[in-house]
Amino acid sequence: MSVPGLIRMGDNTLVLGQRVSEWCGHAPALEEDIALANTALDLIGQTQLWLGLAAEREGKGRTADTLAYHRDAWDFRNLLLVEQPNQDFGVTMMRQFLFDSWHLEALTTLAEHDDTEISAIAQKSVKEVTYHRERSSDTVIALGEGTEESHARMQAALDRLWPYVGEMFSTDGDDLTDMAALRPAFDTYLETVLTEATLVRPHSDFAHMGGKTGARHTEHLGHMLATMQVLPRSYPDATW
Amino acid sequence: MYAQMIKSEATQDDPEKLAAFQARIDAGDKIEPKDWMPAGYRKTLIRQIGQHAHSEIVGQLPEGNWITRAPTLERKAILLAKVQDEAGHGLYLYCAAETLGVSRDELTEMLLDGRMKYSSIFAYPTLTWADMGAVGWLVDGAAIMNQVPLQRTSYGPYARSMVRICKEESFHQRQGFDIMMKMANGTNTQKRMAQDALNRFWYPSLMMFGPSDKESVHSEQSMAWKIKMNSNDELRQKFVDQTVPQAEYLGLTIPDETLAWNEEKGEYDFAEPDWSEFFDVLKGNGPCSVERIEARQKAWDDGAWVREARLAHAAKKQAAKVAAE
Amino acid sequence: MKQEWPLWEVFIRGQHGLSHRHVGSLHATDATHAIQNARDVYTRRKEGVSIWVVPAADITASSPDDKGSLYDPADDKVYRHPTFFDIPDDVGAM
């Protein structure tokens, strides 16, 4: 059954899309504000596709919206990385860069999937995420290399988020593809960007786990969902 | 409107040049950045386009307030796209103002320190989801009324940015009305929300057009220069005439007991908003005036290191390129 | 006064093979950044397939005072326009 794997893909894009959308109206420059909104819009669009297909295949009469709005944190299957709070622009862009770098590898593989509905979503998403990765990489490079302050902030962001990188490459039978197999390509790309950004990859391989299995999310997810789900939860008989 | 109470500057230029300039405007010519223009025309335009741009940017905040709480994925995407458009509109307008010799940073600083204003409407809070409907329906509806004629304004870059804005904005009012329809036809609670939103946004929407300008000298000058295309009262009347039947369609009541169709004039009679409230808001005493500027100030301050770092990086890249050559 | 990101002019070619057309301006630190910003700001509605960006400072514009000498001479060259010529209807489309 592909449903758990589809939900993982959709929960990642949903949770990150929600996080990125929090920036709207608050970014460092208008151009960046507009760019972040484009990323969030792409991610929300991908969510509708992944969760839509998951709901359809599950066959219990649920929709992408019911999956998004009527599950609690423990039923979410997103990576811990994407539920991390935005903090400053540096953390936000570093999180984006790390996720995009994994996401593009995952989607490129899924674009060749035997299941044509899965490959179709992946093929559409690859185009969007190719650009996401380009933009987030260039931003990490510019801010990593820019000024003393920006360099320090970007290194701190990388150090802060690094323990959430390992989970992207943990894998089990629910995944739509072998995520562990994506690591070498990810590492190669990461190395190129970090070098140009004059940032140092942290040494520790320690990785927090529990997001994609739902075993243990961080405290942040519950708060995010409380905000996101407030209307459908408060007014269950309403349609919007 | 998005540009309210713009004082047009008196002009002390060579009368011959002034007459030639006015003749160009009367002939429907567009004035372009490098053309000669009266100092007052330039100053008034900077103030007007700047205020318009600020309104778009501050206007992101009340609607941005609901992006993270939009009740469906589709509503979230639509709202986000709409608020993003507002950032885009602000950007186009700042660029138009820049052709007059003021920088975006200078304009931003004038917004933050209170030397420049933004539209009074954005100093009001958005309290329920129905407010997303009311803002789109009423606020964007009022804005469109002012912006469509501004596509013919005499200053080329301003007119061109208005063309682009109007094209993009056509979906904004519709999405607002669509939300209102859903709410007005929904559960009792949703209906209550819809009525409550209309109650709170009706008079502030009427204020958007600014006080009556029948006797205002400034308006006359701006209209002669074709940077103001209609009188405030004319647009307000048009707005009321257009909106009343829409409210009836929704089954909502406009919070004005004096509202009545005037057969003789062929238009609605309606109550004026409380203008003392309007002037309070302009002075920075709107319900959310402080929060709005605080939010813009925070984005500006928190973003400083990013703006600097990107510049520093570009300079380093350029230096490396030159060294390699 | 702190330094601001430079201004760029953006030109976009639409899907129908027409020339690049000026669509507006934006701020960016270098050409790569300007292209990315242009994509994000000016192609939100699939307006284009190709983007040019030019630093605004590098554009040389004709002076408005030369308007007469640059454009008026074309006024009397009406024969450059197809409607100048009367072609008999029997000839068919031309």
Side-chain angles (χ1 to χ4, degrees):
Chain A
M1 259 310 253
S2 56
V3 172
L6 291 167
I7 288 183
R8 282 179 179 176
M9 295 303 289
D11 283 352
N12 281 332
T13 52
L14 171 59
V15 171
L16 187 59
Q18 173 78 4
R19 279 287 185 232
V20 176
S21 77
E22 292 170 13
W23 272 101
C24 188
H26 306 277
L30 275 175
E31 286 81 357
E32 305 286 349
D33 206 298
I34 293 168
L36 282 168
N38 276 338
T39 302
L41 282 169
D42 287 343
L43 292 170
I44 294 164
Q46 291 170 21
T47 303
Q48 289 173 298
L49 298 174
W50 290 122
L51 293 187
L53 184 58
E56 187 189 312
R57 291 196 174 177
E58 183 193 53
K60 291 184 189 163
R62 297 204 281 186
T63 64
D65 278 335
T66 30
L67 286 174
Y69 288 94
H70 293 280
R71 283 180 298 151
D72 204 349
W74 60 340
D75 282 329
F76 270 70
R77 294 291 179 270
N78 59 280
L79 296 159
L80 297 176
L81 176 69
V82 293
E83 68 195 48
Q84 298 309 302
N86 287 342
Q87 304 202 37
D88 72 353
F89 189 74
V91 171
T92 293
M93 291 314 296
M94 183 59 78
R95 183 186 63 199
Q96 193 67 40
F97 162 68
L98 294 169
F99 179 77
D100 292 343
S101 302
W102 166 82
H103 201 200
L104 185 57
E105 300 299 339
L107 291 170
T108 307
T109 308
L110 291 177
E112 307 292 320
H113 204 282
D114 293 337
D115 185 326
T116 55
E117 287 182 300
I118 291 175
S119 62
I121 299 176
Q123 283 160 16
K124 181 189 180 289
S125 307
V126 159
K127 292 183 202 152
E128 296 168 348
V129 173
T130 301
Y131 179 68
H132 296 176
R133 191 182 73 165
E134 179 192 317
R135 182 151 191 132
S136 63
S137 302
D138 284 357
T139 306
V140 165
I141 291 167
L143 300 181
E145 204 220 20
T147 62
E148 213 173 299
E149 181 186 2
S150 72
H151 176 81
R153 281 179 186 261
M154 294 314 281
Q155 186 64 53
L158 178 60
D159 295 347
R160 178 74 179 75
L161 295 172
W162 189 251
Y164 300 102
V165 167
E167 192 192 13
M168 297 194 283
F169 304 99
S170 67
T171 201
D172 61 29
D174 281 351
D175 282 322
L176 298 180
T177 184
D178 176 8
M179 299 298 177
L182 309 175
R183 183 89 204 218
F186 172 90
D187 280 339
T188 307
Y189 184 75
L190 185 81
E191 204 47 50
T192 324
V193 174
L194 291 188
T195 306
E196 222 184 312
T198 68
L199 297 173
V200 183
R201 176 186 167 136
H203 294 299
S204 167
D205 279 334
F206 174 76
H208 288 294
M209 299 285 176
K212 64 187 283 183
T213 60
R216 184 159 55 215
H217 280 280
T218 64
E219 290 177 347
H220 308 296
L221 183 62
H223 291 282
M224 197 194 94
L225 295 182
T227 302
M228 187 179 94
Q229 299 177 334
V230 64
L231 285 174
R233 297 271 194 166
S234 308
Y235 306 99
D237 50 347
T239 56
W240 308 93
Chain B
M1 197 34 58
Y2 279 14
Q4 294 161 324
M5 307 281 294
I6 298 296
K7 239 176 94 180
S8 67
E9 289 280 332
T11 261
Q12 291 162 330
D13 293 285
D14 172 11
E16 217 168 288
K17 276 185 160 177
L18 270 181
F21 180 79
Q22 190 60 50
R24 285 190 64 193
I25 290 188
D26 294 342
D29 257 19
K30 291 280 178 251
I31 309 301
E32 294 298 334
K34 291 179 83 184
D35 295 352
W36 183 87
M37 62 184 87
Y41 178 83
R42 183 186 299 274
K43 270 180 129 175
T44 310
L45 264 180
I46 289 177
R47 206 175 286 162
Q48 179 171 330
I49 302 174
Q51 191 184 107
H52 196 156
H54 297 328
S55 298
E56 298 282 356
I57 300 313
V58 176
Q60 284 187 276
L61 300 170
E63 287 178 286
N65 185 34
W66 281 90
I67 291 172
T68 57
R69 291 178 289 172
T72 70
L73 294 171
E74 189 181 58
R75 291 283 183 207
K76 189 187 292 295
I78 294 170
L79 184 62
L80 180 55
K82 175 179 190 271
V83 181
Q84 180 199 40
D85 276 349
E86 279 151 20
H89 298 170
L91 187 151
Y92 309 155
L93 287 161
Y94 283 128
C95 289
E98 282 175 81
T99 63
L100 292 160
V102 61
S103 76
R104 193 198 291 179
D105 282 6
E106 284 169 317
L107 290 168
T108 304
E109 276 158 15
M110 286 193 270
L111 167 71
L112 296 178
D113 68 20
R115 273 177 292 162
M116 286 183 86
K117 306 283 182 210
Y118 58 91
S119 175
S120 57
I121 190 72
F122 301 118
Y124 288 86
T126 54
L127 302 177
T128 74
W129 176 250
D131 289 10
M132 295 303 97
V135 168
W137 172 38
L138 302 172
V139 176
D140 291 312
I144 289 166
M145 225 147 243
N146 173 268
Q147 289 175 347
V148 166
L150 276 177
Q151 295 178 99
R152 293 178 284 109
T153 184
S154 61
Y155 189 57
Y158 191 24
R160 288 190 286 275
S161 59
M162 289 322 301
V163 169
R164 201 175 175 87
I165 288 172
C166 287
K167 212 163 108 194
E168 295 187 353
E169 206 148 82
S170 54
F171 96 86
H172 292 183
Q173 192 190 10
R174 283 159 169 263
Q175 70 88 35
F177 196 72
D178 186 62
I179 291 175
M180 283 316 258
M181 284 199 295
K182 235 2 194 187
M183 300 298 282
N185 296 315
T187 63
N188 285 335
T189 317
Q190 284 175 301
K191 273 179 218 161
R192 257 181 66 210
M193 279 185 197
Q195 183 61 54
D196 170 66
L198 174 58
N199 292 349
R200 282 182 289 105
F201 275 98
W202 175 252
Y203 288 106
S205 299
L206 295 185
M207 290 179 202
M208 285 178 71
F209 300 93
S212 180
D213 53 7
K214 271 180 224 142
E215 337 255 285
S216 163
V217 198
H218 301 304
S219 287
E220 249 170 59
Q221 177 60 75
S222 287
M223 285 174 95
W225 278 336
K226 289 195 190 159
I227 54 182
K228 182 177 170 77
M229 310 299 285
N230 309 80
S231 83
N232 295 349
D233 292 320
E234 191 185 332
L235 288 172
R236 187 173 14 252
Q237 183 69 50
K238 204 174 155 201
F239 173 75
V240 172
D241 292 344
Q242 177 190 291
T243 308
V244 172
Q246 294 168 349
E248 280 166 5
Y249 176 86
L250 292 170
L252 299 176
T253 310
I254 287 177
D256 175 1
E257 287 174 8
T258 68
L259 186 82
W261 179 251
N262 185 322
E263 195 61 55
E264 201 177 312
K265 291 198 291 179
E267 59 190 32
Y268 283 93
D269 292 329
F270 59 93
E272 291 273 315
D274 174 1
W275 289 112
S276 67
E277 178 180 314
F278 172 78
F279 287 109
D280 275 339
V281 173
L282 277 204
K283 270 185 245 151
N285 292 323
C288 296
S289 299
V290 174
E291 286 93 331
R292 298 293 183 244
I293 293 300
E294 266 174 2
R296 289 314 310 161
Q297 183 77 54
K298 185 172 188 310
W300 181 245
D301 294 345
D302 290 356
W305 70 272
V306 177
R307 295 190 300 273
E308 279 162 31
R310 273 204 177 274
L311 267 180
H313 169 72
K316 281 184 194 172
K317 235 167 66 177
Q318 184 60 27
K321 207 173 131 194
V322 169
E325 270 163 11
Chain C
M1 189 72 212
K2 272 192 213 143
Q3 212 194 331
E4 218 167 316
W5 292 358
L7 192 66
W8 297 71
E9 298 301 332
V10 181
F11 300 80
I12 289 188
R13 181 159 60 77
Q15 283 164 351
H16 306 296
L18 296 174
S19 313
H20 282 76
R21 202 173 140 245
H22 182 243
V23 294
S25 333
L26 48 76
H27 289 265
T29 50
D30 59 26
T32 316
H33 191 217
I35 287 276
Q36 289 176 354
N37 286 348
R39 179 203 176 275
D40 280 309
V41 173
Y42 286 106
T43 67
R44 302 200 302 285
R45 288 173 170 78
K46 310 236 173 291
E47 288 94 334
V49 291
S50 165
I51 301 173
W52 288 349
V53 291
V54 186
D58 289 352
I59 289 181
T60 309
S62 62
S63 160
D65 302 336
D66 298 340
K67 231 181 205 166
S69 61
L70 283 180
Y71 311 113
D72 288 352
D75 278 356
D76 55 5
K77 297 186 178 61
V78 285
Y79 46 79
R80 284 185 181 278
H81 298 278
T83 46
F84 176 73
F85 303 95
D86 275 333
I87 303 289
D89 287 349
D90 335 351
V91 178
M94 184 175 283

